Amino acid sequence: FLLVGLYFMYVNTPSWFTGTYKLAYFILAYIPVGLPVLQEAVHEIMHGSFFSEFFLMGIATLGAFAIGEYPEAVAVMLFYNIGEGFQSLALSRGHKNIQKLLDQRPDEITVIRRKEKHRIKAKAAKIGDRIQLKPGERLALDGELLSASAFFDTRALTGESTPERKTKGETILAGMINLNSPSEIRVTKAYQDSKLSQILKLVGEASAQKAPTELFIQKFAKIYTPFVVFAAIGITFLPYLFTATYDFQEWFYRALIFLVVSCPCALVISIPLGYFGGIGAASKNGILVKGGNYLDVLANLDRLLLDKTGTLTKGVFTVQETAFTSQTDVNQVLALVNTLESHSNHPIASAIHQYVGPINPHLELKEITELPGFGLKAIYQDKTLLVGNFRLLDTYQIPYTSLFKDRPETIIAVAYGGEFIGQLLISDELKPEAKNSINALHNLQVKTGILSGDKASIVTKVAKEVGVDTVHAELLPGDKVNKVKEFKKTGDRVGFVGDGLNDAPVIAISDVGIAMGGLGSDAAIEVADVVIQQDEVSRIPMAIKIGKKTKRIVWQNIGLAFGVKLIVLLLGALGMATMWEAVFADVGVALLAILNAVRIQRMTF
């Protein structure tokens, strides 16, 4: 519509395109882009904010209509709306309904009443009810285990990668997943009082503390807009006091040019476009940033705290090392251990099977027995084979010497025929890029630390290997939140990286929350401000670099807009600039800002 109007004005003017028809044509073009802005200006005035950027845009473009510069008025509003559109696009990846996605507890449970099974709503369960929990099913309420034993995935609450073996009488918390056998649990807490409910409450409270970043232009407009309005009034009337040949029409024309030049279109476009470019560059590198303001926080980050499991480590239980006595046939022993462990559902058994390979069908084990809390026992060629912890060897009074001294990982001992013959060292595996990533963060002047629910010995070992500055272990979700609050009280801008539901509250309370998105829980991903889609720690320093580069480009655009506008404002006030210079100062600078902003899309980090 605008382009056709410009064609009619400057290239091939129809006979009817004059006077009232010309004005009516551009008013029709102005309404869809200008009316919403004028409505916002009226709304702001009614709520006490008289000098808003909407007000300035309104009087500047209406002024352009008053002096007959119709296409310029439409163009300025059009570019303003384009800028607003980019801003909305850059921030549209905000958080969804966190509560709906976080609350992963099952809606229904199986309750055993009078020896009959009933499916009821989890919220309807009462303290004392018996629940049947099938393998792979997540518990909805806190309770006490009634079955002899079972293995549970506890990462949702503790963050520990190793599944935990629970025995009769031990507490089982909502959010834990039954891994191996059907179990019965007695409810000990109401639905709303469960540990998982407390985590969800923490997330809600933490999210509420995340006030949205106020846009720079809104802050600036509080000073800029009143100044421009009063300066335009001064340009119109003050010359009457100092000029003998004062001409109201001439000075009013200068004032309107001054207002058109002062439209913050270039500023409004340059800021969101810079951030949009940064968000695009991050996306190309597998980093989802949910708003331009989080790029700012990344650029100014002082301290980054990381969860261990799934962030610095792979979150997979694996055999790290083996050590056997010199007289042992290692391959034969590993084959025996693999065959024995194939009769167990324990994650350690899966790790050993993954390490050794297929089961040898020719090995015949007899009297296979699982000893809860100790390990496995079997008879092979009339001799006893034991695979388990050192307490198992103590029970059978078998002397041993630890071949992995002072190691924090899980150690599986092997004995055969009453003699200790070797050990397997099993633990989570460090991500290969973890150490270099921590070094890169230090090079960016970012302090690092680990917040983890794992044992202190394991966390300390990982911390030494990767070189982080501080270590905090054996933490529950609430403890992690408190640690972040402590660091924030020192004035540091604090980021946190995690991947599990247990990390959601601390991700939400940090200045910028980062989730490992490949294997991370929906809860962590939804509450996070930044999502690393490939689970690579190396993407975190890259995200910070993108934030710093984006900030630099945004301020370049702001400087460009200010510089050109200041020059043309002065020329306009002195009567040395026409409306064409005014349009260039607004629309032209906006286009230059766009070209500068898209540069970041082609940069390598």
Side-chain angles (χ1 to χ4, degrees):
F1 211 111
L2 177 61
L3 290 175
V4 171
L6 290 172
Y7 177 80
F8 285 168
M9 283 189 66
Y10 301 110
V11 180
N12 186 11
T13 306
S15 57
W16 59 267
F17 197 71
T18 56
T20 304
Y21 292 105
K22 179 180 176 182
L23 175 61
Y25 181 91
F26 282 106
I27 287 177
L28 287 174
Y30 180 85
I31 287 174
V33 291
L35 188 59
V37 177
L38 296 179
Q39 289 174 335
E40 284 290 338
V42 173
H43 180 267
E44 292 287 324
I45 292 171
M46 293 178 64
H47 287 79
S49 180
F50 190 84
F51 295 110
S52 66
E53 68 269 25
F54 306 111
F55 173 75
L56 182 56
M57 292 294 300
I59 60 172
T61 53
L62 293 177
F65 267 102
I67 60 175
E69 302 293 345
Y70 311 142
E72 285 80 355
V74 177
V76 167
M77 276 297 188
L78 177 62
F79 272 86
Y80 178 84
N81 278 275
I82 291 173
E84 286 293 294
F86 275 115
Q87 177 66 35
S88 298
L89 186 60
L91 299 175
S92 65
R93 298 172 177 176
H95 301 156
K96 300 178 181 178
N97 190 327
I98 294 172
Q99 185 68 30
K100 179 180 177 182
L101 290 168
L102 281 182
D103 201 343
Q104 298 179 25
R105 292 168 293 188
D107 292 331
E108 294 185 343
I109 58 173
T110 302
V111 175
I112 303 173
R113 290 175 179 170
R114 296 176 182 176
K115 297 183 179 181
E116 293 183 0
K117 298 176 183 178
H118 304 274
R119 292 293 291 178
I120 66 170
K121 293 290 185 182
K123 291 182 179 180
K126 300 176 182 178
I127 295 176
D129 278 344
R130 290 169 61 199
I131 298 175
Q132 184 188 62
L133 196 67
K134 298 177 183 178
E137 195 173 6
R138 188 189 296 270
L139 186 60
L141 303 100
D142 291 355
E144 174 188 337
L145 185 63
L146 298 178
S147 303
S149 67
F151 285 97
F152 289 88
D153 183 343
T154 65
R155 277 182 288 186
L157 292 165
T158 66
E160 293 193 19
S161 57
T162 308
E164 193 171 338
R165 185 177 184 274
K166 297 288 187 179
T167 56
K168 185 175 181 178
E170 289 194 80
T171 299
I172 313 296
L173 301 176
M176 292 183 177
I177 301 173
N178 186 12
L179 292 179
N180 59 340
S181 58
S183 304
E184 288 188 13
I185 295 154
R186 184 177 64 86
V187 177
T188 56
K189 287 186 180 179
Y191 182 85
Q192 64 272 16
D193 297 327
S194 69
K195 182 68 71 174
L196 187 56
S197 290
Q198 294 175 19
I199 289 180
L200 298 177
K201 183 179 179 183
L202 277 172
V203 172
E205 291 175 350
S207 297
Q209 297 179 48
K210 279 211 172 230
T213 305
E214 187 175 8
L215 296 176
F216 169 82
I217 193 63
Q218 292 174 332
K219 295 178 180 178
F220 172 71
K222 293 179 181 179
I223 300 172
Y224 178 74
T225 308
F227 170 79
V228 166
V229 172
F230 287 115
I233 294 173
I235 290 172
T236 304
F237 296 107
L238 286 179
Y240 176 78
L241 303 176
F242 305 102
T243 306
T245 58
Y246 173 75
D247 183 350
F248 174 79
Q249 293 288 343
E250 177 187 351
W251 289 101
F252 181 59
Y253 177 78
R254 292 188 186 185
L256 291 179
I257 291 177
F258 183 85
L259 284 175
V260 171
V261 175
S262 66
C263 287
C265 182
L267 288 172
V268 172
I269 277 188
S270 65
I271 298 172
L273 254 187
Y275 288 122
F276 183 72
I279 290 171
S283 297
K284 284 173 59 179
N285 289 281
I287 304 165
L288 172 61
V289 182
K290 295 184 179 180
N293 50 333
Y294 300 121
L295 285 172
D296 258 354
V297 181
L298 284 170
N300 298 312
L301 203 62
D302 298 306
R303 184 183 297 273
L304 185 69
L305 304 171
L306 305 97
D307 179 45
K308 180 186 72 69
T309 305
T311 302
L312 292 172
T313 65
K314 294 181 179 179
V316 179
F317 218 43
T318 57
V319 176
Q320 300 293 319
E321 298 179 45
T322 61
F324 293 92
T325 56
S326 58
Q327 68 273 22
T328 303
D329 183 339
V330 175
N331 292 332
Q332 175 72 5
V333 171
L334 286 175
L336 284 171
V337 171
N338 192 26
T339 302
L340 180 55
E341 290 288 353
S342 68
H343 295 273
S344 172
N345 290 322
H346 196 288
I348 285 178
S350 300
I352 291 173
H353 178 66
Q354 186 72 25
Y355 179 77
V356 178
I359 304 296
N360 185 343
H362 302 295
L363 295 176
E364 295 183 7
L365 302 180
K366 301 177 182 178
E367 300 179 26
I368 298 170
T369 307
E370 182 171 359
L371 304 170
F374 293 92
L376 295 168
K377 170 192 171 186
I379 302 297
Y380 177 69
Q381 295 182 347
D382 299 325
K383 292 183 180 180
T384 301
L385 173 66
L386 300 174
V387 179
N389 54 36
F390 286 122
R391 289 183 298 165
L392 177 62
L393 272 60
D394 291 334
T395 301
Y396 284 84
Q397 298 180 343
I398 297 175
Y400 58 85
T401 301
S402 177
L403 304 177
F404 298 117
K405 293 185 178 180
D406 302 321
R407 296 291 293 269
E409 296 92 338
T410 300
I411 296 176
I412 301 300
V414 183
Y416 181 63
E419 293 183 4
F420 169 69
I421 59 174
Q423 297 168 279
L424 293 86
L425 190 72
I426 300 178
S427 73
D428 200 355
E429 188 177 347
L430 196 67
K431 289 182 178 178
E433 76 275 13
K435 185 174 182 179
N436 289 337
S437 300
I438 296 299
N439 289 336
L441 289 168
H442 290 159
N443 291 336
L444 291 168
Q445 308 304 312
V446 177
K447 293 170 280 189
T448 59
I450 295 178
L451 300 184
S452 176
D454 274 1
K455 293 188 297 184
S457 58
I458 295 176
V459 179
T460 302
K461 175 180 179 293
V462 170
K464 288 181 180 179
E465 289 180 0
V466 300
V468 298
D469 301 317
T470 58
V471 180
H472 302 277
E474 300 179 16
L475 303 176
L476 291 174
D479 301 325
K480 292 183 179 181
V481 169
N482 291 333
K483 284 294 180 185
V484 170
K485 287 181 177 179
E486 288 176 16
F487 284 120
K488 290 176 72 172
K489 285 180 181 178
T490 65
D492 282 355
R493 298 179 187 86
V494 181
F496 179 81
V497 189
D499 71 325
L501 175 60
N502 63 299
D503 295 323
V506 68
I507 286 175
I509 195 66
S510 57
D511 292 311
V512 59
I514 304 173
M516 307 304 283
L519 297 175
S521 73
D522 289 342
I525 292 170
E526 285 303 322
V527 79
D529 309 310
V530 179
V531 179
I532 308 299
Q533 297 179 45
Q534 292 97 342
D535 279 344
E536 296 176 4
V537 192
S538 59
R539 304 287 170 170
I540 299 171
M542 182 184 294
I544 294 174
K545 291 178 183 178
I546 292 172
K548 289 181 179 293
K549 180 63 70 173
T550 300
K551 182 181 178 182
R552 189 175 299 121
I553 285 178
V554 166
W555 280 102
Q556 287 173 355
N557 282 348
I558 291 173
L560 174 68
F562 272 136
V564 174
K565 279 183 175 292
L566 182 61
I567 293 171
V568 180
L569 281 173
L570 292 173
L571 292 176
L574 297 172
M576 300 172 64
T578 67
M579 188 59 66
W580 289 109
E581 283 82 4
V583 172
F584 169 76
D586 191 56
V587 178
V589 171
L591 292 173
L592 292 176
I594 290 172
L595 294 175
N596 190 39
V598 297
R599 284 193 308 122
I600 195 170
Q601 297 274 6
R602 300 182 179 181
M603 294 180 180
T604 56
F605 299 92

